[in-house]
Amino acid sequence: MSQSRNSKLKKPTEPADSRVVAASQQWLGPVPPPAALEGFERIVPGAAARILQMAEDEQRHRHAIEAASMHTKQETVRITARDNLLGMVLGFLALAASLGAAIWSVAIGAPWQVSVALISLPVMIVAAELVRRKR
């Protein structure tokens, strides 16, 4: 009985050890290492030259994009500086014109309220702008 029990408990024969070996190779950048480039050339004649041409074209394209971006940034700075200067000049002219009109209204004998009205709007605009820029 024990012998029949042992024969029932026998494990099936196990296959010999098997292993899976996988290899992977990767590189950074547009150009593969020389060994891989040589392998590409063996498989497809002219592939190495095409890969190098592709890398050179990509570099030229990237440089063109970076140059255009730099030009755009420089143009933005130039336009902003021009607009700031124009705003200051126009603000000064408006303030000077209001002060001149207020002085002229005093000279011709207009009521004092006219002079205050002529001066108050530009002074308030300048004050509001100074407060806004402090933030």
Side-chain angles (χ1 to χ4, degrees), residues 5-70:
R5 184 182 256 179
N6 284 343
S7 65
K8 287 182 181 178
L9 295 177
K10 284 185 178 176
K11 294 181 182 177
T13 58
E14 294 180 11
D17 285 344
S18 62
R19 295 182 185 174
V20 175
V21 178
S24 159
Q25 185 179 26
Q26 57 183 332
W27 58 86
L28 295 175
V31 180
L37 200 58
E38 184 180 19
F40 289 137
E41 186 66 28
R42 265 195 316 259
I43 295 170
V44 178
R50 289 171 48 196
I51 291 171
L52 291 174
Q53 184 63 45
M54 179 184 66
E56 290 168 356
D57 291 346
E58 174 64 25
Q59 183 179 25
R60 269 193 293 283
H61 176 68
R62 191 177 317 114
H63 286 184
I65 288 174
E66 289 173 3
S69 174
M70 183 63 71

Side-chain angles (χ1 to χ4, degrees), residues 38-110:
E38 184 180 19
F40 289 137
E41 186 66 28
R42 265 195 316 259
I43 295 170
V44 178
R50 289 171 48 196
I51 291 171
L52 291 174
Q53 184 63 45
M54 179 184 66
E56 290 168 356
D57 291 346
E58 174 64 25
Q59 183 179 25
R60 269 193 293 283
H61 176 68
R62 191 177 317 114
H63 286 184
I65 288 174
E66 289 173 3
S69 174
M70 183 63 71
H71 176 72
T72 301
K73 288 176 185 176
Q74 289 172 343
E75 190 66 16
T76 301
V77 167
R78 189 187 66 76
I79 289 171
T80 302
R82 184 202 63 198
D83 289 351
N84 285 343
L85 180 62
L86 182 63
M88 286 189 283
V89 167
L90 291 176
F92 174 76
L93 291 175
L95 184 61
S98 294
L99 287 173
I103 292 170
W104 179 73
S105 69
V106 168
I108 64 168

